[in-house]
Structures are given as C-alpha cells and as structure tokens.
Amino acid sequence: MHLRHTLALILASLVSISTFAMDLACNYVVPIQGRFLQKHINYDSLTANLESRTVDQFVKSIDPSKTYLLQADVDTIKKNMKSIFDKAKAGDCAGIEKSYEILKGRLKEASEYSKKYLDASFKLDPTLKVTLDSDKKPYAKSKAQFEETLRKYMQLQVANYVATGEKLEAAREKVIKNYDRASKRLDEETVQDRLSTYLDAYARSLDPHSSYWSPVAYDDFRVGIGASLEGIGATLSSKDGITVIEQLIPGGPAAKSGLLQPKDKIIAVGSGESGPMDNVLDQDLRNVVSKIRGQKGTKVRLSVLRDEAGGNKKFVVTIVRDKIDIKDERAAIDYIDREVGGKKLKVGLINLPSFYADPTSDISSYRDMQKLMREARNQKVDALVLDLSTNGGGSLQDAVGITGLFFREGNVVKQSSKYRNRGELELADENPMVDWPGPLVVLTSRVSASASEIVAGALKDYRRAVIVGGDHTFGKGTVQAVDDTLPQGLGAIKTTIGMFFTAGGKSTQHIGVTSDIVFPSAFSDDEFGEKTLDYSLPPKTLKPFLSVEAYVPAGPSSWKLLDKKTVDKLRAQSKGRVDKSVDFKKIVADIAKSKKKKNEIIIGEVIKDREESNKETKELEGKDYTQVQAYKKDKYMKRADIIEALNIAADLTILQAGGKITLSQKEAATAAKGVDKVDASQLQSEKKN
C-alpha cells in the first residue's frame, strides 16, 4: 500500500473522518504531530527537547517583533505550556488559549496607549533609533520598557505613513486605527486559528522548512506551486482595513465581466446567486481572498464601493469563477543582441521564477522550459542565460527534468531517506535529447534555493554551465513532502523527509552553490541564508555519482566541457566591467549602508529611504495590469546582474567558438568518474551504446 494511504488510515483510526469540513480541535493535535514524526528525516518521537523548541517557536509566532509581550509574560506562557505534549494527548490545550489571553491583554494596552501617545501634541523625532532585529533585543522587563518599545514603533509607523505623503495628523489616526484593528482581529481569531499557529510552531521546531498549513494557507501554496488559481482574476491589496482591487488580470472573469475596475473597494462577499454576505471590512486580506476564490464554474457575489465624482457608489456584482493561468509567474524568454569583438550575437534570457507544477493541468515549468528551448533554437540564439536569481524552489521532479534539458541523460540528484538501510533515492534525467547544447550561464543569488540549487549545482558539477551572481545560493539542501490527506477541512502538512545531494556528491545545505563569477548582490549578507535559521539541519556529503551518459562526445548535440582557463578568462572580463559599472557601485554602497544600520534604523533616514522607494508606487498609480507588468519587465531588463550575465554569456560564446567544442570519450569518462585513468573497454562500450 502507498505510504500516503497507510498514514491516512493510521490517522483515521484516531479521529473520525467524514465527508464534511471539520474544525481543528485539540483532539486532532497529537495525531497531526504524529503524522510529522512518521515522515521526518530526524525525529520519530515527542521529546522534551522538541517540546521546549515548540514553545519557543510558539512565543516567536505570536509576538515576532518582541513588541507586546513582557519577559514576565513569556515566563508565564512557558509555565502554562509546560508538558503541552502530554496535556494535548488528554485533550487539554488550555495553555495555548491562556497564552492568547495574555497577548490579547497586551495588545489592548498597546491600542489604548496609541490613543494617548499619538494625540495632537505628537511630534516625529528624526533622531530616534529603533532596533528591528528581534534577536538583537530582549523582552521588556517592566511596564515602562513596554511603553518605551511602543513609542519607538509608533514613531516608525507614523514615519512610514508620512513618507508616503500623508499629513502627520492623518498618519497618527491611521496608526491608531491599525492598533485597534489588530486588537479586534486577535479577538476574532478562532480556536482553529490558534491551534494552527501552535502546530506550525511545532513543525518549525523540527526544522525551518516543515510546516502546518491551515486550509487557507494550503490553498495559497497550491496557487504558488501550480502558477494558476480558480477565482475572479484580480490582484488585491489591503489598505487601512479595506480590500482594494489593484489590477484585473487580462482574460480573467473580472476583466471579461466589465463590472469591476481598479481601485474598487470590496466590502462584503457572498457565495452563490443569493443568501447572506459576509462583511469583510477590517478582515485579514488572506481571509478575504479565500472567500473570493472558489471552484471553477461557481458564483461569487461582491459588494463594491466605488469612488465617483458625485460621491461613493455602492453596488453588488456576481461573477462566475474560472481557472486563471498566472502567465506572469511562468517561465519566459527574451532575446537580447550583443556585439563582442565585432561579432553580432543573440542571447536568450530565460526568467524562471519558480519550479511550478499543476497536477490538475498540463502547466509545469519543465514543459514550459522545453517549449522555450525549442523557440530559442528556432530563433538561432548563440547562448542562453537561465535566471534563477529570484527562484526559491518548487517541484523536485521539474528541477530534475529541467537540468536534463542541458545534457544527454544521467544522474541529477540523490535524496537521503529517514531509514538508513534503504540508501538514497537516485533521481536522473532519462530523456536522451539535449534540448540546448550551446553556451549556458546560470544567474543565482542567495534567494535561489532548494530546486534552484539542484539545477545550478548539477550543471556546475557536470561543468555544463557558468554559475554567476551572488557569492552563493541560499543553502537549502533538504527535501519536503506535502501530505494533504488530513481529515477534510484540517489543511495539510509539509515535512522534511530527506536531504539532497547534487551529482558531485555535494550537499547544498548551508553552503549553497558557489558562483564561478561573483559580482555585488544586495542579498550577499551573512545573516541571509539557511545557516541562520532556527534548527537548520547540518550538511553532509556523499561519493560523486556523475553519469558518463550525460556527456556528448560529438555531433550536433555535443556541448563544451567548461575548463578553468575559460572561467578565469570570463571572470577577468567581468571584473573589468563590474568595476566600471555605476549600477554595481550603487549596490556596493547600499550594502555598506545596510551593514552600518543592520541592528537599528533612524527615523529621519526611514522617511528619506521610504520616499525614495515610494517613487515606484507613484509611477504605477492609475496603470492597468498590462502596464504594470510592462513597467516591471523594463525594470527587470535594466538590472545590473541581468546585464552582466548577458555580457558573460556573449563572452562565453566567443571563447567556446574559438576552441574545441566536442568532448572526447576519455574526457567524458574522466569528468564523470573524477579519476585520471579510465578503463579502455568501458570507453569502447560507452561508444557503442
């Protein structure tokens, strides 16, 4: 029987599974915790250490900025949560509820204090310093320290509004309302919301990437991993507690209906053609979105408020939900001309924002990349740049397939198992087609993680691509599995089930994939990456398992094995350009500025920095979805790292064209095995095959 179905039956024996939606209750907590333990690579029992870590993560979850809770509150919460694992077995989750009662009290105090502090006599203090990094500051130990922390944060919050052009009086009022709204939302949180927070804290006590997802959070995950959703086709934002339509996605139900416009305010949502509508004023945006989304073919009613010359117009619209293909979240290619040494070249730039895969349709990053490879060949490009610099990962299977587009076939990655006697699971590209045999550059940064690191790492191990960009990738070398077989309505869990190793036997855990050519990146920060996360698993290594079948000795599918001399030459050429680049000099200056004020910021500088960043917001005001995407595209193409990656690809084309472009059987076998001597009979066998 498949493991997933086995685990479903185990949980079914502990709780009743029905066809209607269930509410998360305390009696489900232990079975769900057990579901994590059945899969997790490192843990198989509830221990005192895990309990302590769970409580620590829970406290972090409910007050991440250390703004509201006093040290005495934290001590009380930890006391109330003592033995929570055993108590939950008996159906006692009172400690979680008591923790929220403490938080509710403090948030109410903060709300009341905002009215007192942000009165007509309030003035901004441009010299005030505020510490943002919660790891760098303690909890308040007294009421006076609590109020001092609030004053600093209220100064910061008012400054942010002033920087957007708000008058001081309006800014004060908005901050006061924000505190009232936060207090009200906490009062409205359900038992399910609080237990969800606890279960997610428990998941993160195992490692940084295990998670518990409520039904709403799981829906968000499915949208992200599938690059599609079922809804009305509108981008929404929350402004002062009101849900506002930002843009209508072309071809979506909302755009086709002609009933909605950007800047419309959604004040209530109802399902079906009739019946009650839920007031969504002051509701969390995620909850509003979950109400609007729904199955294709179903109807949703929206109560809308529109500003018109004669005043506000209020009306109700009914829209039939449909499947929305989020094309702007999918792989795309652009063609850029370059000239090197008098030779004109065409470089293809592929932006792959994630490794998406929708099991309900044919949408997948692998299929899209195959199509783009075909298009690139038809366009007769000389080189390709694969941009993974903002790609945080996604489908493991798609990552394996995409890696295989650039060599013949062979091992890509191994995944370790919870059970050591089972060995590692080997994942290989089995398609002998080389979709792109030409010069290849992969652009990465510390944002590039997980599946991105598999692709970049394998291509580097095979010496197939030049890796350029930030100093190294994020450093996430673990694999997660999603289990959505919880009883209906209880969401899903994501569990770390193994570590992965690229074909060179390397784990990217903590270390990431290092760039062959490094240039300044805003993300190259020692406090950004896997190794900085709580309870991150330690790295490991395996013996290399490169496949000789990946290499192509001769013919139209042959590709050039990168050598040190070529990379050194490319690096020198790149350095010359980077050192002269005004844009890179600005990035270096911004990095230095960021490091200087890493632990604290000054209110006056906040206003200045926000005013600068708000220029983009102002430029986008009044623009429709297509215009916004065009603006973002133009900005993307002007990025310094994009431009330099294209320059490196052009240089690589010239260098590889000037030398031998085929790979001998001996070079292939030597590269794959990492040895100096190769068995001649094996070479002959490979040649025949």
Side-chain angles (χ1 to χ4, degrees):
M1 182 181 292
H2 195 283
L3 178 61
R4 182 188 232 186
H5 297 134
T6 303
L7 296 179
L9 291 176
I10 291 173
L11 191 59
S13 67
L14 298 172
V15 295
S16 61
I17 298 179
S18 61
T19 56
F20 54 86
M22 299 179 177
D23 289 335
L24 182 61
C26 189
N27 61 304
Y28 293 106
V29 166
V30 173
I32 292 174
Q33 286 178 318
R35 183 76 70 95
F36 280 103
L37 296 177
Q38 290 163 343
K39 293 191 170 191
H40 197 274
I41 184 175
N42 275 9
Y43 299 97
D44 53 20
S45 62
L46 297 173
T47 65
N49 182 44
L50 275 184
E51 182 177 284
S52 175
R53 283 158 56 153
T54 298
V55 174
D56 285 342
Q57 290 298 309
F58 177 72
V59 172
K60 277 190 174 185
S61 296
I62 64 175
D63 185 18
S65 63
K66 294 183 179 176
T67 304
Y68 304 113
L69 295 176
L70 277 63
Q71 182 61 57
D73 297 332
V74 174
D75 294 340
T76 301
I77 288 172
K78 290 186 175 182
K79 183 179 179 181
N80 291 338
M81 297 281 284
K82 187 175 176 60
S83 302
I84 185 65
F85 285 177
D86 288 334
K87 289 176 180 176
K89 289 179 184 177
D92 178 7
C93 293
I96 297 171
E97 287 298 312
K98 290 177 182 177
S99 301
Y100 272 96
E101 290 304 314
I102 293 172
L103 181 63
K104 281 169 62 176
R106 292 299 180 199
L107 199 50
K108 280 184 171 60
E109 288 181 51
S111 180
E112 290 303 314
Y113 187 75
S114 71
K115 298 178 179 68
K116 174 183 174 183
Y117 179 60
L118 298 174
D119 61 11
S121 64
F122 172 83
K123 292 182 180 180
L124 277 172
D125 180 0
T127 66
L128 183 68
K129 296 180 179 180
V130 183
T131 301
L132 295 180
D133 189 345
S134 60
D135 291 333
K136 298 289 193 300
K137 66 177 184 179
Y139 288 99
K141 291 182 171 59
S142 65
K143 186 71 174 291
Q145 288 183 0
F146 169 67
E147 292 181 349
E148 180 185 2
T149 298
L150 287 175
R151 285 195 295 273
K152 289 182 177 180
Y153 271 89
M154 289 175 187
Q155 283 270 345
L156 177 61
Q157 290 158 338
V158 171
N160 280 328
Y161 275 117
V162 169
T164 65
E166 293 281 358
K167 298 294 185 183
L168 182 62
E169 182 180 355
R172 289 190 295 104
E173 290 300 320
K174 287 190 174 184
V175 173
I176 291 171
K177 287 180 180 179
N178 286 345
Y179 277 93
D180 277 341
R181 192 176 296 118
S183 180
K184 179 183 176 183
R185 284 179 179 171
L186 191 62
D187 284 339
E188 292 173 348
E189 277 198 0
T190 63
V191 172
Q192 297 95 291
D193 295 328
R194 297 171 183 183
L195 291 178
S196 292
T197 300
Y198 166 78
L199 281 171
D200 192 51
Y202 163 76
R204 285 183 288 107
S205 77
L206 302 170
D207 73 274
H209 304 292
S210 292
S211 302
Y212 170 77
W213 287 324
S214 67
V216 173
Y218 180 48
D219 193 37
D220 288 341
F221 164 76
R222 287 187 294 178
V223 168
I225 198 68
S228 65
L229 59 85
E230 292 184 348
I232 65 171
T235 60
L236 308 176
S237 67
S238 181
K239 295 181 180 178
D240 302 319
I242 300 174
T243 300
V244 180
I245 294 177
E246 293 293 334
Q247 290 106 31
L248 304 179
I249 299 175
K256 287 180 179 178
S257 73
L259 300 172
L260 296 173
Q261 300 175 7
K263 296 187 178 181
D264 282 350
K265 302 176 179 67
I266 299 173
I267 57 177
V269 180
S271 293
E273 293 185 353
S274 61
M277 299 183 75
D278 295 334
N279 186 317
V280 295
L281 291 174
D282 286 340
Q283 281 199 16
D284 184 80
L285 181 61
R286 176 182 278 186
N287 291 333
V288 179
V289 169
S290 70
K291 293 177 189 293
I292 295 174
R293 283 182 192 160
Q295 190 174 358
K296 175 181 177 179
T298 60
K299 294 181 179 179
V300 60
R301 281 173 295 121
L302 307 176
S303 180
V304 178
L305 197 64
R306 180 179 295 166
D307 294 333
E308 293 189 339
N312 290 329
K313 177 183 177 182
K314 185 178 179 182
F315 56 96
V316 175
V317 301
T318 300
I319 296 179
V320 179
R321 299 177 177 107
D322 201 352
K323 189 149 191 169
I324 314 296
D325 179 3
I326 314 174
K327 293 181 180 179
D328 297 301
E329 300 298 323
R330 293 171 65 173
I333 190 168
D334 289 281
Y335 302 100
I336 298 90
D337 293 329
R338 283 287 187 271
E339 185 171 329
V340 181
K343 184 173 182 179
K344 293 183 179 180
L345 303 170
K346 181 185 287 187
V347 182
L349 169 63
I350 297 178
N351 180 16
L352 182 62
S354 69
F355 292 88
Y356 48 88
D358 184 355
T360 66
S361 71
D362 63 352
I363 295 175
S364 82
S365 53
Y366 172 64
R367 291 190 184 94
D368 285 350
M369 284 289 291
Q370 277 187 313
K371 293 175 184 176
L372 295 181
M373 296 293 99
R374 190 180 309 118
E375 181 184 319
R377 293 195 304 273
N378 290 337
Q379 289 288 329
K380 301 187 185 308
V381 301
D382 296 288
L384 282 180
V385 172
L386 176 58
D387 179 15
L388 302 178
S389 62
T390 59
N391 189 320
S395 166
L396 173 61
Q397 197 60 49
D398 278 54
V400 172
I402 288 170
T403 304
L405 296 175
F406 302 104
F407 57 61
R408 186 164 60 187
E409 57 185 317
N411 294 328
V412 174
V413 65
K414 278 187 178 181
Q415 177 186 320
S416 65
S417 169
K418 178 184 179 79
Y419 306 101
R420 295 180 181 176
N421 60 342
R422 294 184 183 177
E424 293 84 22
L425 174 64
E426 200 169 87
L427 299 175
D429 170 57
E430 298 177 351
N431 185 351
M433 173 72 177
V434 180
D435 291 73
W436 175 252
L440 178 64
V441 170
V442 178
L443 176 63
T444 63
S445 74
R446 288 207 190 185
V447 175
S448 310
S450 195
S452 285
E453 296 176 287
I454 289 175
V455 174
L459 293 175
K460 181 173 183 177
D461 289 344
Y462 279 106
R463 292 161 61 188
R464 174 64 184 92
V466 183
I467 312 301
V468 307
D471 51 355
H472 61 78
T473 55
F474 188 82
K476 178 183 176 292
T478 56
V479 180
Q480 286 70 42
V482 176
D483 179 2
D484 59 1
T485 62
L486 302 182
Q488 188 174 350
L490 296 188
I493 66 172
K494 180 183 70 168
T495 313
T496 297
I497 60 171
M499 297 187 71
F500 68 75
F501 304 84
T502 60
K506 301 166 188 172
S507 165
T508 63
Q509 186 71 356
H510 291 187
I511 306 161
V513 179
T514 56
S515 288
D516 297 308
I517 301 173
V518 178
F519 33 80
S521 169
F523 299 110
S524 294
D525 187 314
D526 287 339
E527 294 190 18
F528 189 88
E530 176 76 15
K531 62 185 178 182
T532 68
L533 303 179
D534 292 344
Y535 318 129
S536 178
L537 303 181
K540 297 178 181 178
T541 57
L542 294 177
K543 290 182 180 180
F545 51 98
L546 292 150
S547 299
V548 70
E549 296 86 359
Y551 302 92
V552 184
S557 293
S558 64
W559 48 270
K560 173 70 176 178
L561 186 74
L562 280 169
D563 55 43
K564 184 177 183 300
K565 184 178 179 181
T566 298
V567 174
D568 287 345
K569 179 70 173 174
L570 290 170
R571 188 182 296 116
Q573 291 172 321
S574 175
K575 187 177 187 304
R577 289 187 296 264
V578 170
D579 288 346
K580 296 176 183 177
S581 168
V582 174
D583 290 333
F584 276 121
K585 286 178 181 177
K586 185 178 185 304
I587 292 172
V588 171
D590 288 344
I591 292 171
K593 184 179 178 181
S594 177
K595 286 182 177 179
K596 186 177 179 181
K597 59 181 184 181
K598 184 179 292 296
N599 296 333
E600 59 185 11
I601 59 174
I602 301 172
I603 294 297
E605 292 181 358
V606 169
I607 296 175
K608 183 179 178 181
D609 292 345
R610 279 296 299 270
E611 286 175 342
E612 184 69 25
S613 64
N614 284 332
K615 288 181 181 178
E616 179 176 318
T617 303
K618 292 177 181 178
E619 286 184 55
L620 293 176
E621 283 183 0
K623 288 182 168 60
D624 62 24
Y625 185 88
T626 302
Q627 291 171 321
V628 169
Q629 296 308 315
Y631 175 90
K632 290 180 178 178
K633 183 63 169 291
D634 180 63
K635 190 173 181 180
Y636 169 77
M637 297 301 293
K638 292 177 180 177
R639 273 174 37 188
D641 58 340
I642 294 292
I643 293 170
E644 184 53 28
L646 291 167
N647 289 334
I648 293 170
D651 288 343
L652 177 61
T653 304
I654 297 299
L655 290 174
Q656 289 196 337
K660 181 183 57 173
I661 61 171
T662 58
L663 183 69
S664 71
Q665 286 287 349
K666 184 173 182 179
E667 285 176 312
T670 301
K673 291 187 171 297
V675 296
D676 296 324
K677 295 181 180 179
V678 182
D679 189 298
S681 63
Q682 182 182 354
L683 290 179
Q684 284 299 114
S685 174
E686 292 294 342
K687 190 172 182 179
K688 290 176 182 177
N689 291 335

